[in-house]
Each structure stands twice: as C-alpha cells, then as structure tokens.
Amino acid sequence: MVNEITKLKQALEHERNLNNNLRNALLGQDNADDVLKQAHTFKKQAESLQEENRKLREELDFIKRGRTTTQAINKRVDKSNAYTVSIICMMIQGKKMEDICNTLSISQSTYYRAVSAEAISDSQHMKDLYTYYKGIFDEHNITEETFKDWVMKRKKYLGRG
C-alpha cells in the first residue's frame, strides 16, 4: 500500500512537471517534440498505475471476503509457488539474490523460504512445481533436466552444512 501511495505521488509530481513543460512549450520556451515524448511516457505510466490499482482492488476485495476461505488459501499458495519457481529459474540463470529480490519485488525472507533446505529436500514438492508451473519454466527457457540437475546440486550444497 505504501508503494502504491509513493507511486501515485510520483505520478502526480510527474503530471505537474508535464503540465509545466506543456505550458512552456506552448509559450515557445521548450521543444514541443520533447514535451510530446514526455506526455506519451506519462500516459504509459498512468496506464500501468491504473492496472496495478485494479489488481490491488481485486486483491483487497478478495481479502475482505475472507482470508481463510479455501479459494483465498489456494490463491496465496499458488502465488507463493509461482514466486518460488521464478526464484529458482533466476537462480539457475545465475542471477544474484539482490537482483532476484529487486526484479520480483520480494523480501529476502521470501527468497530464503523458497530455496530453503526444507523446500528443496521435498522431492514431491519439486516435481509438482515443475509440473504445475511448467509455463514459468518455459518463459525462462529452463528444461526439466536443467531443473532436476539444479535441485540435486542444491541438495548437495545444502547438505554440506
């Protein structure tokens, strides 16, 4: 919610700057092409923020209807597993923890939960992740063999203690 407020404040400030630039351009003080480019950029940012607001409203409505309903629990588990798969794919690609956390906008604790010894040691969980989230693996160009090799290496690494 804080990120949303910050983004909205930034968007408002950007809109004010854009309005000032448009005013200056109309008065002949700035290059009109630059102002039009800024207007186009602002429009894209506004659309992105509107989409994010829509998703947040849906999530809030969903939470208001009940956090412990089966549907709510399944949705949270699915979201958590999707993050786990994305983290694993990025690790296989050689990305660092900091980069992964920044890319996915997650905390370090979420990262560590996803790649913990308990998660990796559960073979059935790892098989299920590949089966149910194959689309995410495909997006990152990770084959099943590459994934299995990574799991085995990770188990050995975590087993060293």
Side-chain angles (χ1 to χ4, degrees), residues 94-140:
K95 293 189 178 179
K96 303 285 185 206
M97 178 194 64
E98 237 178 68
D99 297 330
I100 293 170
C101 290
N102 289 337
T103 302
L104 297 175
S105 299
I106 59 172
S107 66
Q108 288 182 0
S109 62
T110 301
Y111 171 88
Y112 285 120
R113 243 188 333 274
V115 295
S116 69
E118 291 108 22
I120 302 299
S121 65
D122 185 351
S123 298
Q124 187 60 49
H125 177 65
M126 290 289 113
K127 289 177 187 173
D128 290 345
L129 285 179
Y130 191 83
T131 302
Y132 297 125
Y133 299 94
K134 186 169 182 346
I136 296 174
F137 283 104
D138 291 344
E139 285 176 23
H140 291 276

Side-chain angles (χ1 to χ4, degrees), residues 2 23 42 44 56 64 71 74-75 91 99 105 120 126 132 134 150-151 157:
V2 173
R23 188 178 322 109
F42 175 71
K44 283 184 178 181
L56 288 170
K64 283 180 180 177
Q71 185 182 11
N74 289 343
K75 188 170 184 173
M91 286 181 75
D99 297 330
S105 299
I120 302 299
M126 290 289 113
Y132 297 125
K134 186 169 182 346
W150 179 85
V151 170
Y157 172 78

Side-chain angles (χ1 to χ4, degrees), residues 1-2 16-17 19 22 24 26 37 60-61 77 82-83 93-94 105 114 116 120 131 133 139 147 156:
M1 190 62 106
V2 173
R16 285 181 184 147
N17 289 337
N19 287 337
L22 284 170
N24 291 340
L26 291 173
K37 287 178 186 176
L60 182 61
D61 289 343
V77 168
Y83 275 124
Q93 293 171 340
S105 299
S116 69
I120 302 299
T131 302
Y133 299 94
E139 285 176 23
F147 174 65
K156 288 178 186 174

Side-chain angles (χ1 to χ4, degrees), residues 61-88:
D61 289 343
F62 186 73
I63 290 170
K64 283 180 180 177
R65 281 184 265 140
R67 294 181 63 93
T68 58
T69 63
T70 303
Q71 185 182 11
I73 291 169
N74 289 343
K75 188 170 184 173
R76 284 197 307 273
V77 168
D78 182 58
K79 187 175 179 179
S80 173
N81 285 339
Y83 275 124
T84 297
V85 170
S86 295
I87 290 168
I88 290 171

